[in-house]
Amino acid sequence: MMKKTILACIYLLLAVGAIYAQRADSAYVNNMRAYYNKYFNDPTNPIVLTASDTLLDMAIRCNDTVMAKIALGAKLDYYYYGQGENVRIAL
């Protein structure tokens, strides 16, 4: 009986810890989404370069690979859409 009680307590602590970790991760994800919505409306704005670096750092801290890919893609979009006419290729 004592072993079952101890196992039940350990299981409860692990379950509560997992739930708390999911809440913390969802809070970070919500912050990253808000940051993305604030700075990434226009891919030609130069603020996208620094904002994508910040978003990438946030994604690495949260271990969110999807948001890291979005941050890198936003930087590529800036160079593709924003600087296409101004770039000269020396041959």
Side-chain angles (χ1 to χ4, degrees):
M1 182 69 175
M2 186 66 147
K3 289 181 184 178
K4 289 181 182 179
T5 305
I6 292 172
L7 288 176
C9 290
I10 291 173
Y11 178 73
L12 181 63
L13 287 173
L14 291 174
V16 169
I19 291 170
Y20 179 73
Q22 287 176 356
R23 286 185 184 167
D25 290 341
S26 66
Y28 290 130
V29 168
N30 289 339
N31 287 340
M32 285 189 288
R33 285 183 184 168
Y35 189 81
Y36 179 79
N37 289 334
K38 182 176 181 182
Y39 291 110
F40 293 90
N41 290 331
D42 181 21
T44 61
N45 192 353
I47 194 84
V48 169
L49 294 175
T50 56
S52 65
D53 290 337
T54 304
L55 187 65
L56 181 64
D57 289 339
M58 292 167 64
I60 289 171
R61 282 188 216 136
C62 296
N63 199 18
D64 188 0
T65 57
V66 173
M67 196 56 80
K69 292 174 186 176
I70 290 172
L72 293 173
K75 192 177 274 193
L76 291 173
D77 286 345
Y78 172 77
Y79 286 116
Y80 183 76
Y81 292 114
Q83 302 296 322
E85 298 172 359
N86 298 330
V87 174
R88 293 185 183 178
I89 299 173
L91 298 175

